[in-house]
Amino acid sequence: MKWKKACFGIFIFSLLLGLDQVTKHLAVIHLKEQEPLPFIQDVFELQYLENFGAAFGVLQNQRILLLAVTSIVLLLLCFFYWKIPVGKRYFPMQCTIVLIAAGAVGNLIDRLLHGYVVDFFYFKLIDFPIFNVADCYVVIAAFFAVVLIGFYYKEEELTFWKKEKN
């Protein structure tokens, strides 16, 4: 059953990653070197940005560090995903980990191929930093992780992450 869970996770991960990469490709084709494209006037627009840092522009030009941290996070996510018990009760946690992984890999691909991440969503109304689909995955997943760990699962249901004693 664990292999069935893994195959399902890889399938969903691939779909999410594909969506992220397609939207970034479209942003490069239609938004690069163009004026911002208002979607909702003075509220939300599509605006091309090459982000050489991490979220909110921190760690600018720290490509090697960002690649290393992302790789470590991905290894940990794979470990946690594999440790999650099979069953409907843990499906939300599986989805959360797949979302985080898809977002991390989406931006990792950009950093590896281009040296920067393509961002294009801009909430002009609140001057929020420009972001992309992969960033949405990570933020949504982080929210769900907090809700799941804080309110959905009981402490004893999360003991599978603890080191097994021999």
Side-chain angles (χ1 to χ4, degrees):
M1 278 304 253
K2 278 203 176 218
W3 288 107
K4 186 178 177 182
K5 174 183 82 169
C7 288
F8 176 77
I10 291 168
F11 176 73
I12 298 302
F13 168 86
S14 299
L15 289 177
L16 293 169
L17 183 60
L19 177 63
D20 172 66
Q21 292 299 296
V22 165
T23 59
K24 289 175 179 173
H25 180 71
L26 291 172
V28 170
I29 291 172
H30 296 289
L31 299 173
K32 187 173 184 176
E33 298 176 8
Q34 302 294 322
E35 290 295 315
L37 181 64
F39 198 74
I40 301 172
Q41 193 65 39
D42 296 323
V43 176
F44 178 75
E45 63 188 30
L46 301 175
Q47 180 178 336
Y48 182 84
L49 174 74
E50 295 173 355
N51 183 355
F52 290 86
F56 306 108
V58 300
L59 298 174
Q60 286 292 314
N61 300 310
Q62 299 295 315
R63 182 177 180 214
I64 300 299
L65 174 64
L66 292 169
L67 291 172
V69 168
T70 303
S71 299
I72 292 167
V73 167
L74 286 169
L75 288 172
L76 289 171
L77 289 171
C78 288
F79 171 76
F80 289 138
Y81 188 85
W82 190 254
K83 296 283 282 185
I84 295 173
V86 175
K88 290 180 183 178
R89 178 78 177 152
Y90 293 98
F91 184 72
M93 183 63 73
Q94 293 169 12
C95 292
T96 299
I97 289 176
V98 168
L99 264 176
I100 294 171
V105 171
N107 286 338
L108 178 69
I109 289 170
D110 280 14
R111 283 193 185 92
L112 286 170
L113 294 179
H114 312 295
Y116 56 83
V117 173
V118 174
D119 289 333
F120 51 91
F121 291 136
Y122 177 52
F123 277 104
K124 188 175 185 176
L125 180 68
I126 58 173
D127 194 28
F128 194 78
I130 301 172
F131 58 99
N132 61 44
V133 172
D135 299 333
C136 293
Y137 295 161
V138 173
V139 169
I140 291 166
F143 172 79
F144 281 127
V146 168
V147 170
L148 291 171
I149 292 169
F151 304 103
Y152 183 73
Y153 296 113
K154 297 179 180 91
E155 188 174 341
E156 56 272 12
E157 290 179 295
L158 298 174
T159 58
F160 61 86
W161 279 344
K162 294 182 181 177
K163 186 176 179 180
E164 295 175 13
K165 296 178 182 175
N166 294 332

